[in-house]
Amino acid sequence: MEAEVVEAELVLPAYFSFKRIQSHEKYPKGQSSARRFKHLKQIIQAENFQNYPPDEPNYVNIESPPSMHPCKRICDITGYEAPYLDPRTKLRYANTEVFKIIRSLPNDHVQRYLSLRNAAVVLK
Amino acid sequence: MPFISQTRRQSDYNLFPSATPIVIDNGASYFRIGWAGENDPRVVFRNIVQRPRHKATGETVTVVGDHDPALLKYFDCTRSGPRSAFDSNVVYQFEIMEYILDFGFDRMGANGSQIDHPVLITECVCNPVYSRSKMAELLFETYGVPSVAFGVDAAFSYKYNQQLGICARDGLAICPGFTTAHVIPFVDGEPIYKGSCRTNIGGYHITDQLKQLLSLKYPHHMTKFTWEKVEDLKMEHCYIAPDYAAEARLFQNGTKEAEEKTRTWQLPWVPPAVEEGPSEEELARKAAIRERQGQRLREMAEAKRSSRINELENELQGLEFLLRQLERVEEEDIPSFLEETGYVSKQEVESAHAKAAQALRKAKGEPKGEQVGIEEKIDSSTNEKFPLINVPDDMLTPEQLKEKRRQIFLKTTTEGRQRAKQKRIEEELERERKNQEDEEQRLENPELYLEQLNIRYRELSEKVEQRKRLKTNGNHTNGGMGRGERLNAAQKERMRLLTTAAFDRGKGEDTFGANDEDWQLYKLMSKDNDDDDDGVDPDEAELIRVTSRLQEVDPTFVPKLELGLSQPVVEVPKFRPLTKEDFQVVLGVERFRCPEILFHPSLIGVDQVGLDEMAGVSIRRLSCETQEFEDRLTKSILITGGSSLLPGMTERLEAGIRMIRPCGAPICVFRASDPILDAWRGASSYASAYQFASQTFTRMDYYEKGEDWLREYQLRYTI
């Protein structure tokens, strides 16, 4: 290790006196940790929240409902109020100059703008 | 103000007795750890872990939190992005959690064989039992903590502010955090989770939105927009507009207010070194050198030319002398006489003489008009070269016949060549004449001429495009649409030939190909195809000519780009030197567009209510009976959490909630005294209370009572 790295104590040491079991014993090298742990979706599924009475608050219960107000439509490129939708690219735009810009965008930019709104076409 | 982590190692760990709890605020953005009873956490750092490989040794090491980027050059960080233990607001990656806790305890100065203090750690609202039990297990097993308590950070913050007198015992806590936003009603000082509600939008999404918008707007500066930098930008410049539509209109109309609200970020930029125009002396010197070189070249060319002229003159003189001698000599003696000189006949000598004279004249630079006359002379001389042609066949011997045939062939080829040359000269003269006419026309009436040219250009381009479209339509059909409809003329012809050929054979068997003549069919078809191609050329050539003429004449003419589809003409970006403005990032609408997603998650595609409506949902869920009770709730609304630092939040929330509540209801919105640290401070003051120990659970409790009990476990906040 280089001197300045050691001095800055950047790296986590491998041994701690206050731990009963050290990390390298618990997590042997080579196994990817991602597979070891359940993601949130899996956790929620495993909990079986539907078995419990619906009155009690739990993680899934307290989610917010969809909005009652009408959806606000703003232009994808500029952020102004956008009453128009481009049928080819499905982007919202505010006026004709923005429309010209939209039509000259390369396709991956179009997809990125759409994915800002979570409206991109995802091919699986 | 960008948040700076504190990670200095504390040295007074041993001064604290075993009963003092350690308070941890385990947030998705920052991890804060400290002693109970104190005002500020001791150690604060970002809740992320990186596992790069050390370049020299190759081992994988762990780096927790923010760090000096300069030191990272010793590590290979390509495969290790920053990883968080959180998924939304729930801890799920306990290996990473362990690294973080290691780091936290280590910086607190922990030593000894285990952590001998009770620990109060925060979690999210209605944390799933799986996560809770894993966390408890981690603390009990690995760190040997004697007792643990779980609490909700928003609740601690509310209690703290209640102690400070900012909010009342009944009220609402609105907590926009890093990954989620919660609204929790408080009745009698206790949070009622039944009425709470959560939207999955937080500061993370705001920063992400800003980062993507800027990257799309300034693609060539994309590398400058790192996550940390964008977060700094957000904290410094973003604000919440009281009314989004009105602000957007301000910017759209380009008013002066909009100008003031626009912030510009100047990226580091070095102007290219401007070369001073070479000074006068430099110019003069260079010009003199060039002049001298030109002079030298001219002299050399002159010398060469004059020497060549001399040579030619000498040759000419020699030949003339020879000719004169020949005239004197008798006819029969010519061959023998000429043997010495190398010429076979008088005609050869004469032709050589003529050629030399011509070359001389060219060298001297005289007009080529005389060339025609000389050519004619050559013509007549070559005629005599083929003496046998005119002699009838029967008078010749077989060898002479062969000779005659060869001479005929040669003659026809030379004649053909001459004819071609003649035609070329005529064409050139014709073109010259036409050009001159054109010029005259242009000079006398420029506008009319221009119009005519334009019209002609348009006609031609349309014709060409149409033909192209017809042709390519046959080749570029999309998918397998009715093949028969899109064939162009050539292909139609081809099909016709094939079908008639097949049809003509007769109803019986198919005997196509038995005769050799059948295959001639294909020759016919391919010829047809070629003809079609050739036919286009004159039009295209005309088009090119007209285009070039227009470009010369009309400064405003822009040739229509020949694209397959009718797209609008895209201006080729002109290359000009990069200016200072190119390196400026303008933050105008983005300043208030990004935080708007807190109030309208649909802008990001999340189908949930925004902050102002959440309050309404929460009150509804409480299903409280009286109006008066609801008023009590809305009278004390506290905003806490990192994202609540955005300016303009309180006004907007107030306006939003007023829209939902009945007219005249009292609404008071307060911001927490320190939205970021209040959660930790609340927890700290809670943990230092006398009855804290009764709220914790020990390892024994955890193992004996089982998971169900853990699910039911809730902290009581008023003790």
Side-chain angles (χ1 to χ4, degrees):
Chain A
M1 287 286 166
E2 291 79 357
E4 52 178 1
V5 170
V6 171
E7 209 189 280
E9 287 183 347
L10 193 68
V11 173
L12 211 63
Y15 173 78
F16 288 103
S17 63
F18 50 82
K19 285 177 80 167
R20 286 196 193 161
I21 317 171
Q22 302 299 323
S23 332
H24 53 87
E25 295 159 24
K26 212 198 244 186
Y27 303 113
K29 245 197 260 203
Q31 225 189 344
S32 116
S33 61
R35 241 177 294 125
R36 246 196 296 260
F37 295 106
K38 294 189 192 171
H39 287 268
L40 183 62
K41 280 201 194 131
Q42 293 162 322
I43 296 179
I44 293 179
Q45 220 178 20
E47 292 266 329
N48 288 338
F49 284 120
Q50 57 262 31
N51 295 346
Y52 305 124
D55 274 355
E56 281 176 18
N58 52 47
Y59 192 79
V60 174
N61 260 353
I62 62 178
E63 283 242 4
S64 321
S67 168
M68 290 289 155
H69 292 179
C71 177
K72 202 182 205 52
R73 292 185 165 78
I74 62 169
C75 170
D76 283 313
I77 316 271
T78 53
Y80 306 142
E81 179 90 29
Y84 317 110
L85 180 82
D86 173 17
R88 197 198 291 177
T89 53
K90 305 277 183 296
L91 288 173
R92 295 221 161 90
Y93 62 95
N95 53 33
T96 49
E97 282 115 38
V98 183
F99 182 66
K100 282 198 198 113
I101 297 176
I102 288 185
R103 277 295 162 90
S104 64
L105 277 181
N107 190 40
D108 62 323
H109 278 62
V110 167
Q111 292 303 317
R112 281 167 72 185
Y113 272 116
L114 284 176
S115 66
L116 277 185
R117 252 198 301 140
N118 215 10
V121 176
V122 176
L123 300 169
K124 281 262 168 77
Chain B
M1 225 76 53
F3 203 85
I4 308 170
S5 351
Q6 311 159 220
T7 53
R8 236 185 36 233
R9 180 171 281 116
Q10 310 295 313
S11 47
D12 51 359
Y13 183 80
N14 295 320
L15 300 177
F16 287 88
S18 286
T20 327
I22 295 183
V23 175
I24 300 180
D25 177 12
N26 189 17
S29 53
Y30 284 90
F31 183 91
R32 296 174 197 101
I33 185 172
W35 297 106
E38 293 192 356
N39 212 21
D40 279 316
R42 293 293 183 100
V43 179
V44 177
F45 54 90
R46 286 200 67 181
N47 213 332
I48 51 174
V49 160
Q50 269 183 320
R51 306 208 72 213
R53 269 167 27 100
H54 191 233
K55 278 190 200 158
T57 58
E59 57 169 312
T60 315
V61 297
T62 321
V63 176
V64 175
D66 276 342
H67 33 254
D68 190 3
L71 289 176
L72 275 185
K73 63 178 190 272
Y74 295 113
F75 299 94
D76 165 28
C77 298
T78 47
R79 291 190 62 203
S80 71
R83 296 163 59 189
S84 168
F86 284 84
D87 183 0
S88 187
N89 53 356
V90 171
V91 181
Y92 81 111
Q93 275 260 9
F94 286 93
E95 184 184 349
I96 296 185
M97 196 67 229
E98 194 173 326
Y99 293 137
I100 292 177
L101 282 171
D102 281 349
F103 188 76
F105 286 134
D106 183 45
R107 289 302 151 108
M108 282 287 279
N111 43 32
S113 63
Q114 58 181 26
I115 308 284
D116 232 350
H117 305 258
V119 165
L120 169 60
I121 191 165
T122 57
E123 57 169 17
C124 63
V125 176
C126 298
N127 200 11
V129 141
Y130 175 84
S131 172
R132 221 185 229 185
S133 68
K134 275 265 195 244
M135 181 68 94
E137 197 181 301
L138 182 68
L139 285 171
F140 287 135
E141 293 301 314
T142 317
Y143 294 102
V145 174
S147 59
V148 165
F150 288 111
V152 171
D153 46 359
F156 286 133
S157 178
Y158 191 88
K159 297 303 289 176
Y160 185 70
N161 282 284
Q162 187 190 332
Q163 278 171 13
L164 287 183
I166 296 178
C167 43
R169 277 172 68 90
D170 302 329
L172 278 178
I174 301 188
C175 178
F178 188 62
T179 43
T180 53
H182 286 107
V183 170
I184 309 173
F186 281 79
V187 176
D188 273 342
E190 289 296 312
I192 310 290
Y193 295 125
K194 196 167 64 143
S196 62
C197 116
R198 176 189 79 236
T199 297
N200 299 325
I201 294 278
Y204 166 80
H205 300 98
I206 302 181
T207 314
D208 194 44
Q209 172 97 336
L210 184 61
K211 180 163 178 276
Q212 295 206 23
L213 279 175
L214 285 177
S215 305
L216 280 168
K217 199 165 148 192
Y218 299 99
H220 31 277
H221 295 309
M222 222 190 303
T223 48
K224 293 278 195 312
F225 301 129
T226 62
W227 176 270
E228 284 79 22
K229 183 67 197 172
V230 175
E231 198 154 327
D232 284 347
L233 281 176
K234 172 189 89 167
M235 286 198 257
E236 221 181 300
H237 299 291
C238 280
Y239 67 95
I240 297 187
D243 179 14
Y244 184 82
E247 289 280 315
R249 236 169 291 136
L250 267 185
F251 274 81
Q252 198 168 5
N253 299 336
T255 61
K256 194 148 178 307
E257 287 178 16
E259 293 275 326
E260 287 164 20
K261 291 195 182 171
T262 317
R263 302 261 174 102
T264 319
W265 171 30
Q266 173 77 47
L267 291 170
W269 170 75
V270 174
V274 173
E275 284 180 20
E276 301 232 337
S279 56
E280 295 255 337
E281 310 148 6
E282 282 264 345
L283 278 170
R285 207 167 19 101
K286 281 202 193 128
I289 292 176
R290 246 176 284 147
E291 184 66 33
R292 243 176 287 140
Q293 279 180 335
Q295 191 68 14
R296 230 180 296 144
L297 282 169
R298 254 173 282 152
E299 281 172 11
M300 282 203 296
E302 239 344 280
K304 226 194 279 178
R305 203 164 131 253
S306 49
S307 73
R308 183 161 153 71
I309 289 178
N310 279 340
E311 257 182 52
L312 282 172
E313 278 182 352
N314 287 341
E315 209 183 309
L316 207 60
Q317 276 181 359
L319 283 171
E320 279 175 3
F321 179 66
L322 198 56
L323 274 172
R324 261 175 278 144
Q325 275 194 331
L326 272 177
E327 280 166 16
R328 267 187 264 128
V329 171
E330 297 276 333
E331 280 278 333
E332 298 88 27
D333 291 337
I334 287 181
S336 58
F337 180 70
L338 286 175
E339 260 176 31
E340 305 166 0
T341 53
Y343 291 103
V344 173
S345 72
K346 189 173 175 207
Q347 289 90 359
E348 254 197 73
V349 178
E350 278 182 356
S351 65
H353 173 268
K355 272 203 209 115
Q358 184 188 345
L360 185 64
R361 254 185 238 112
K362 221 197 302 190
K364 286 205 186 144
E366 289 180 12
K368 284 200 236 153
E370 315 222 349
Q371 212 181 354
V372 182
I374 298 184
E375 275 196 32
E376 285 180 8
K377 219 168 149 204
I378 296 180
D379 227 356
S380 54
S381 64
T382 47
N383 236 345
E384 307 199 18
K385 256 207 200 162
F386 310 125
L388 297 171
I389 291 179
N390 301 328
V391 175
D393 278 346
D394 43 323
M395 292 185 39
L396 295 171
T397 62
E399 291 171 3
Q400 282 185 320
L401 270 170
K402 256 189 267 168
E403 186 63 31
K404 178 179 174 182
R405 240 179 281 157
R406 193 177 66 86
Q407 284 179 354
I408 292 176
F409 175 70
L410 280 172
K411 181 167 176 209
T412 42
T413 44
T414 44
E415 272 182 7
R417 244 183 286 135
Q418 278 161 7
R419 245 178 289 139
K421 224 191 277 184
Q422 199 71 6
K423 220 192 331 178
R424 244 183 294 132
I425 293 175
E426 273 174 23
E427 269 181 11
E428 260 202 49
L429 285 172
E430 181 72 27
R431 226 179 301 147
E432 269 298 317
R433 199 178 48 79
K434 248 205 228 161
N435 277 352
Q436 283 192 349
E437 267 185 32
D438 240 4
E439 272 298 313
E440 281 168 24
Q441 237 187 4
R442 181 168 85 88
L443 287 172
E444 47 181 276
N445 193 352
E447 286 187 12
L448 188 62
Y449 178 73
L450 210 57
E451 251 186 67
Q452 282 179 349
L453 260 185
N454 272 326
I455 293 173
R456 184 109 187 83
Y457 174 75
R458 264 189 292 256
E459 286 173 16
L460 279 170
S461 59
E462 273 213 31
K463 243 194 273 174
V464 170
E465 254 181 51
Q466 208 179 25
R467 198 163 309 168
K468 260 212 195 122
R469 231 177 289 142
L470 280 176
K471 254 180 131 182
T472 56
N473 255 337
N475 301 339
H476 300 289
T477 49
N478 28 1
M481 288 192 69
R483 295 303 256 351
E485 306 153 27
R486 303 290 185 100
L487 300 176
N488 67 354
Q491 289 174 325
K492 276 206 194 96
E493 185 63 24
R494 205 160 178 269
M495 285 302 269
R496 193 185 63 79
L497 282 170
L498 279 172
T499 44
T500 48
F503 199 61
D504 283 351
R505 286 292 135 232
K507 296 343 189 269
E509 316 135 14
D510 180 13
T511 57
F512 184 83
N515 312 340
D516 274 335
E517 290 94 37
D518 297 338
W519 300 109
Q520 308 298 334
L521 192 63
Y522 284 95
K523 273 205 205 136
L524 228 97
M525 284 195 285
S526 64
K527 238 192 251 169
D528 281 341
N529 246 338
D530 287 339
D531 281 344
D532 195 30
D533 286 332
D534 288 340
V536 180
D537 281 347
D539 258 348
E540 279 191 352
E542 176 80 17
L543 179 64
I544 293 173
R545 200 184 59 82
V546 174
T547 321
S548 57
R549 193 90 189 88
L550 265 175
Q551 268 175 329
E552 285 172 24
V553 170
D554 183 6
T556 64
F557 175 71
V558 173
K560 218 194 315 187
L561 297 170
E562 289 186 48
L563 307 167
L565 319 154
S566 52
Q567 279 180 350
V569 176
V570 175
E571 277 202 33
V572 175
K574 300 190 205 47
F575 291 107
R576 49 175 167 73
L578 294 172
T579 62
K580 189 160 157 211
E581 277 73 36
D582 286 331
F583 281 77
Q584 285 175 347
V585 172
V586 176
L587 297 168
V589 183
E590 294 84 14
R591 281 184 72 198
F592 59 91
R593 176 180 173 183
C594 296
E596 188 65 22
I597 62 178
L598 282 176
F599 293 92
H600 287 100
S602 54
L603 290 177
I604 257 210
V606 172
D607 198 11
Q608 290 184 305
V609 284
L611 277 184
D612 40 7
E613 277 183 81
M614 268 163 80
V617 168
S618 172
I619 295 179
R620 234 189 5 248
R621 279 188 182 167
L622 258 192
S623 66
C624 39
E625 312 72 38
T626 55
Q627 164 90 358
E628 188 255 327
F629 182 67
E630 288 173 15
D631 285 349
R632 262 219 311 264
L633 282 180
T634 54
K635 245 197 293 208
S636 121
I637 301 183
L638 181 77
I639 321 186
T640 176
S643 295
S644 65
L645 282 174
L646 290 165
M649 168 85 79
T650 38
E651 292 85 15
R652 180 67 183 270
L653 259 181
E654 195 174 324
I657 296 180
R658 203 175 288 284
M659 277 201 296
I660 323 176
R661 302 294 304 137
C663 179
I667 300 180
C668 310
V669 177
F670 307 104
R671 184 181 271 147
S673 56
D674 185 346
I676 300 184
L677 286 179
D678 268 357
W680 189 89
R681 288 191 184 137
S684 161
S685 70
Y686 181 85
S688 58
Y690 184 56
Q691 272 99 353
F692 172 65
S694 62
Q695 301 297 318
T696 62
F697 60 96
T698 64
R699 201 158 147 236
M700 290 296 111
D701 290 334
Y702 172 61
Y703 283 120
E704 284 165 15
K705 299 185 189 166
E707 205 179 80
D708 273 342
W709 174 86
L710 194 64
R711 206 161 43 82
E712 311 264 331
Y713 164 81
Q714 289 294 349
L715 210 63
R716 216 185 108 77
Y717 289 88
T718 29
I719 41 167

